[in-house]
Every structure is written in structure tokens, then in C-alpha cells.
Amino acid sequence: KMGVKLTAGCQHRGFFPAGGGLVSLFVDGLKGPLKPIVLDKRGDVTKIEAICYATPPGGWLDEQDVNRTEEDFEPWLLEELADKGSPKPQVQVRCEMEPMPEKGKVFKAACEILVHLSGGGYFHGSGGVLDGPKGRGSLYEIWGSSAEKALHSLKAQLKTGAALDEHLLDQLILPASLAEGTSRFLGAKDLTLHAQTAIHIAQKMVPGVDIQVTSQSGTGLSLVECVGVGWKPGSLSCGPPATANPGQIVAQLAPSVLSKAPEQLLVDLQDDLMQFSGYHGLRALAEVAADRVCIDGCDGPDQAAVVRKELE
């Protein structure tokens, strides 16, 4: 929705405390600024996905457990999560065998539930990872216990009327601060600490971003509106100074722009910065290893604004 094409995959799971999980993520480069995203209406539940996975030592799942889970979970999840009086949502239950993590060969199982809304938002519930069955126990019982825990938090969030999961909201704030346009998120009454932190970081690290949080009367919800700065690939990122020096500007470039640049380009850049320094009465220096340009000596906000504009 924001114009980013990415592919993600879980190669194998990892579990606390040993870890050992492996996730692959591929992101294509942007050709323009990120698009704003609007999730300010809840809508109805349109799809419910349940992913039940386990890491059995034998490398296979009991067919009876799989069949019972797929047959019983569909009506159960419909009863628990579907909106009364709305069209019946699609339900998809998948049971998947996952290889054991490379670190710590352990038999674990869990159920993850994802709810899709017609307003474009998503809600996620997890019951956490449980130990695999022992003795006469079954994966069907383990997955059921995990799903019950996941449903507890999911149902509570869905009842609030928010348009998206509280954890999804806090992850979208920073991308929205860089997007071109206004993003809107209808969240719960009290934003998570992660969301509050993301807003604080965006306001400190993205000059020009405007983020407003307003309480929606009569609903008990909060609307987060973020007017992004429209950052474009290749443009300078003029963030706050690395120090408390108000006369300093730090222009952070994309990774490897300077550190892997041809020698002649760096020579030409140094010459340009010397002329720039003499013209403005400043000291401009390229920090090649850090891929940034630092400028010291601005005597006020007016001069800093002129210098910043010329850098961009």
C-alpha cells in the first residue's frame, strides 16, 4: 500500500532462550517517495487466518491432529471473531511442519491468528510458543490452548473499534513520517509505549514531519495523523546534529555513497566543499567512512535554512 515491494520468508523457527531462527527479507529499491496510508475506518472482518505450526522431532505431523484442527477450528474461529450481522468471513486454517531450529533441537508448537478487515487493517493474535505434546497428549490440544490465548487479546482489540492492530500502528509511524502526504491511523484510546516512542523519534529525527494525536469523542479511540516529508531516494537526509551544537548541520547520505565512491569523485567533492565553505563562511567536511557531510559555523536559523536548502 505504501509502494514498497518486499518478499519475506521464515526459513526455520527459533525459540527463547537458544534462538536459532532464520528469516529472509528482500526489499526492492524505491523509485519515488513512499505513499501515505490511511487506516481510519474499522470495517468488518472479511478473513480469518490461523497458522498452526510445530517442530516435531520426526519431521512430520500426525494426520489425525491436522484433520481435527482444520475441521474444528473453522466454526470455532467464526463464532469467536466474525462480526454479528455482517457477511460471513472466509476462514483458512493451515497446519504446518517447521524444521527444528539449528540451535537447540526442541519440540515446540503454536497458533498464530491473523484477522483481515474491510477497512484495510489487520489484527494479529499469538498464544505464544508451547512445548510439544508428551505422553498421550496431542498437537490438537496444544494448538487449541495456544489459540485460546491468541483469541483473548484479539477479541479485546477488535471490540475497541480501532482500525488496525495496536502493534501494527506503532510500526507504521516511522514509514509514514517519510511518506509524501498525510497518513491516518485510528487506534485504541491509549497508544502503546512503542507508538509513543515512535512518534517521539520521528519528531526528533525527521525534520518537517507533523504528527497529531486527537481523541475521538464518543468512541474512546485515538486518531494519529502524520504529514510526511516526502523523502525521495537519493536525497540528502538532514537530520538533527550529532551533537547539541545548534550551529552544526549533519547531512546523512545513503550507505556506501561516499565510503565506496571512486577516488576522483571524492577529490571533486572536497574541492566543492572548500568553495562552499569559503562562500558561506563555514566549515564543510565530508566524513567518508560515515557517508555524511558535516557543516559547522552557522550563525543562526536563517543561515542554517539557506545552507540546508542548498544541500538538498
Side-chain angles (χ1 to χ4, degrees):
K1 292 182 179 181
M2 300 188 77
V4 178
K5 181 181 178 181
L6 59 86
T7 304
C10 178
Q11 306 302 315
H12 48 77
R13 304 278 179 171
F15 306 108
F16 180 84
L22 179 63
V23 175
S24 61
L25 178 66
F26 299 92
V27 183
D28 287 0
L30 286 171
K31 296 181 179 179
L34 290 169
K35 300 175 183 178
I37 183 169
V38 176
L39 298 171
D40 59 359
K41 295 180 178 61
R42 180 188 184 277
D44 300 320
V45 174
T46 58
K47 184 177 181 180
I48 303 167
E49 291 184 79
I51 300 93
C52 300
Y53 70 86
T55 60
W60 57 274
L61 300 176
D62 183 84
E63 186 176 355
Q64 185 177 2
D65 282 336
V66 171
N67 291 337
R68 289 180 65 195
T69 300
E70 292 177 347
E71 291 173 3
D72 294 351
F73 274 38
E74 179 175 347
W76 179 34
L77 295 177
L78 274 174
E79 177 64 26
E80 295 288 343
L81 298 173
D83 292 316
K84 309 304 179 185
S86 298
K88 179 181 176 180
Q90 176 187 356
V91 180
Q92 185 179 58
V93 181
R94 303 199 308 270
C95 298
E96 301 178 349
M97 189 285 297
E98 299 276 1
M100 287 186 171
E102 294 181 352
K103 296 181 180 179
K105 303 294 185 179
V106 291
F107 186 8
K108 298 287 187 179
C111 178
E112 309 280 339
I113 302 175
L114 184 67
V115 175
H116 304 236
L117 298 179
S118 60
Y122 296 88
F123 285 82
H124 171 255
S126 173
V129 178
L130 304 177
D131 289 333
K134 299 177 181 178
R136 296 186 178 180
S138 67
L139 275 174
Y140 174 81
E141 296 170 335
I142 301 297
W143 285 332
S145 297
S146 182
E148 283 184 352
K149 294 181 180 180
L151 284 170
H152 180 73
S153 61
L154 257 179
K155 291 165 65 176
Q157 280 208 71
L158 287 167
K159 286 181 180 178
T160 66
L164 71 165
D165 187 284
E166 60 183 3
H167 303 298
L168 176 58
L169 189 156
D170 65 50
Q171 293 175 51
L172 288 173
I173 288 172
L174 290 174
S177 70
L178 298 175
E180 187 174 51
T182 302
S183 297
R184 293 161 56 89
F185 309 115
L186 185 64
K189 177 182 178 181
D190 298 317
L191 299 181
T192 65
L193 289 178
H194 283 169
Q196 296 176 46
T197 301
I199 291 172
H200 177 77
I201 294 297
Q203 291 171 331
K204 292 292 185 181
M205 300 300 295
V206 186
V209 69
D210 181 20
I211 302 177
Q212 302 293 329
V213 181
T214 56
S215 177
Q216 303 300 287
S217 59
T219 65
L221 300 173
S222 295
L223 181 65
V224 180
E225 296 180 282
C226 177
V227 182
V229 298
W231 185 88
K232 297 179 176 63
S235 61
L236 294 176
S237 175
C238 295
T243 68
N245 181 2
Q248 184 184 61
I249 294 175
V250 178
Q252 184 66 54
L253 306 176
S256 303
V257 167
L258 295 182
S259 56
K260 294 186 179 181
E263 183 177 352
Q264 186 56 50
L265 187 148
L266 295 176
V267 172
D268 293 342
L269 176 62
Q270 296 291 0
D271 290 341
D272 291 342
L273 290 177
M274 288 181 61
Q275 295 181 34
F276 183 90
S277 299
Y279 180 80
H280 290 283
L282 305 169
R283 179 175 177 270
L285 177 66
E287 296 186 357
V288 176
D291 289 308
R292 65 187 181 188
V293 174
C294 295
I295 299 174
D296 289 302
C298 292
D299 58 10
D302 291 339
Q303 186 183 25
V306 171
V307 171
R308 191 184 300 275
K309 184 176 181 179
E310 188 165 337
L311 281 174
E312 294 176 347

